[in-house]
Amino acid sequence: MSFKLYSRNGRLLKHNSGQIQLNETLFIIIFIILIIVFGLVFFSQAENDSIRTKQKEYRQLDSIVTTQYVTSLTELKCSVYGTEDQSCFEEIKLTAFENLTKNDWDLVGEYYVNKLGTAKITIEEIYPQSRNWTIYNYTGTFEKDGVAYDGKQTQIPVVIWNPLTGKRAFGVLYLTVYNKVI
Amino acid sequence: MNKAQLAMSFNWIFVLIVGIVFLTFFFSLIASQSKVSDQKVSATIAKQFQTILGTTTQKAGTFKTYSTPKIELSFYCDANQAMSRYSLNGKIAGYTTHDVLFSPSNLKGTKLYTWTQEWAYPYQVTNFLYVTNKLHMFIFYSPNEVLPADLENLLKIFPTNLTIFMMNDTHYPTKRLNNNLYTYVFFKNQQPLPDIILTEKSKVIIIEPNKSSNIFDSGKVYFLSGNDLKLNRDLDSFNNSYYFGAASLFGAIFVGEKQQYDCNMEKAFTRLLMLNKMYQYRTTEALKYIPSFSNCQYLYNGTSSLQTGLSQLLDDFSDTLEGGFLNIDAVKFKKLVLDLRNKNNRISSEGGCPGIY
């Protein structure tokens, strides 16, 4: 098959069928490459979204694990004859724990950083008195690497018990887990 | 060759080259995607395992079964190198620097069993996690139908969902199946031990309790391989370690080798030291509010000649724990545990005097 191509002024352009076929092939190749590039861009975008969703999911999972860990910390919980009381923190232990992390960080620091990560844990007594204990505050190397962090806070109602007087108070545990913003 | 023929062959060569380029591109894309997919599966399993570590250890006494794709899970723990990690299909997937996890060094399969036990010695320290699978067979020896008292006590707590085989002199495993792991559990008083065990890929644990009345309290465990038992040497010439409490004894049975057992017990002892330090601070803090010359103050501070106070006991306990599990003076450690238990009971029975646990 042969084609006749004309210029704007009506003159016949002389192209043989080989040249036209080559042009067709090139056009198809360029078209296919464009489709592939478009597909790859779309695919990588979808992959990125999926990674972001997964990371968010994992962060939430980590946050739940940390929350569970904090509420089950044997060093803070109320205990009588070895029986622990859920969601109850012993007042004397809270102060003792503050002293432990302050004075013996070399011994305990690595353990708590491994278990709790970059986080801040505060227990606030709401009633009858108003006071608070910052039992853990590790922000790692936030400023060094220039990466932004966000802190998601979880609040858990707790009982604060004084074993010397037997009195119980109502409080809230604030757990802020810091994560890198991606 | 005329012009048309030349154009035709040029077209074919062109199509061939472009075809090869396209095919190479798509094959490399498929290969990289398959690799990425494998990595994704590994990462998901690693994360799931990390979550298992983080959550199951918070509740003692739970037995769980997890279904996984066909994986190879390896555990490595060496106290001397302060290194503890696990690998998934040959690649390091995470570190268990502070998790007390007892498992055979290599697990292959699609089903994972986890079990937790609280280690309270003398007070609650941490929960031990045990990991194994269906292909790990625990073989207990009872010469008669009536179980020996020690074994009966052990099996009361041991999870029944695991693969357990009760062996006697006529009924015993005779052939090693693919990937299967065999752990033989004997008591020292069952000597001479039967010579009918599989030597390949089998481990032998021999338990020597300190008290026959309570096998879980403390004692020694000997770690042998299937071949070792046939050497018929003196038991003390084989690897051995102390165990303190039921959770620790089960750790030895699950792990089946000294290096991993010692390493995990070292982690448990580090945690014990941390908690003891914490209780030292708590005692100091409590003493600020305990009235002078009260019974409670005497129990906390002791009297110079009559009794050692809680503060002194905790100080001594910390000193004993400083060397870790590997250098523990077992007799001194056991005595202090007993003293602390008694002291805590005495303090807790005194009104308005808080025990440490």
Side-chain angles (χ1 to χ4, degrees), chain B residues 16 27-28 39 55 60 63 65 78 84 117 133 137 160 202 249 267 292 301 307:
Chain B
L16 202 70
F27 276 120
S28 65
Q39 282 172 343
T55 51
F63 183 93
T65 308
D78 187 352
S84 181
Q117 281 286 287
N133 66 11
M137 187 185 275
T160 48
S202 69
L249 175 61
K267 290 184 219 169
S292 307
N301 272 340
Q307 60 168 322

Side-chain angles (χ1 to χ4, degrees), chain B residues 77-95:
Chain B
C77 190
D78 187 352
N80 294 316
Q81 289 180 26
M83 172 66 76
S84 181
R85 60 169 189 245
Y86 60 94
S87 310
L88 205 67
N89 297 329
K91 285 178 187 157
I92 295 171
Y95 292 87

Side-chain angles (χ1 to χ4, degrees), chain A residues 62 68 75 90 104 115, chain B residues 47 58 99 271 281-282:
Chain A
D62 284 342
Q68 275 194 345
E75 43 268 68
E90 196 195 290
D104 282 298
K115 292 284 176 191
Chain B
K47 186 68 195 170
Q58 284 161 25
D99 301 291
R271 178 90 180 114
Y281 281 112
R282 183 188 177 274

Side-chain angles (χ1 to χ4, degrees), chain B residues 139-143 147-156 158 166 184-194 204-212 214-222 229 235 243 249-250 253:
Chain B
I139 305 157
F140 298 97
Y141 176 63
S142 173
L147 294 178
D150 291 347
L151 184 57
E152 200 181 351
N153 288 328
L154 185 82
L155 291 176
K156 269 181 196 164
F158 204 74
M166 291 304 301
Y184 290 85
V185 181
F186 298 110
F187 284 88
K188 202 183 175 188
N189 60 13
Q190 287 181 321
Q191 281 188 313
L193 300 172
V204 180
I205 301 293
I206 299 171
I207 306 165
E208 185 186 12
N210 280 342
K211 288 180 197 167
S212 55
N214 181 7
I215 60 158
F216 297 121
D217 182 64
S218 64
K220 238 180 193 183
V221 273
Y222 296 85
L229 198 64
L235 211 51
Y243 72 86
L249 175 61
F250 291 127
I253 295 171

Side-chain angles (χ1 to χ4, degrees), chain B residues 167 169 172 186 192-199 226 229-231:
Chain B
M167 142 187 178
D169 295 324
Y172 49 87
F186 298 110
L193 300 172
D195 194 17
I196 45 173
I197 60 164
L198 294 163
T199 51
L229 198 64
K230 301 212 167 184
L231 294 174

Side-chain angles (χ1 to χ4, degrees), chain B residues 100-137:
Chain B
V100 186
L101 187 156
F102 295 100
S103 169
S105 52
N106 200 276
L107 290 172
K108 278 180 192 167
T110 55
K111 214 157 229 170
L112 217 57
Y113 294 138
T114 63
W115 184 48
T116 49
Q117 281 286 287
E118 178 189 288
W119 190 53
Y121 214 84
Y123 37 77
Q124 195 200 327
V125 182
T126 186
N127 290 330
F128 287 2
L129 176 68
Y130 311 90
V131 182
T132 190
N133 66 11
K134 204 180 174 181
L135 301 174
H136 187 186
M137 187 185 275

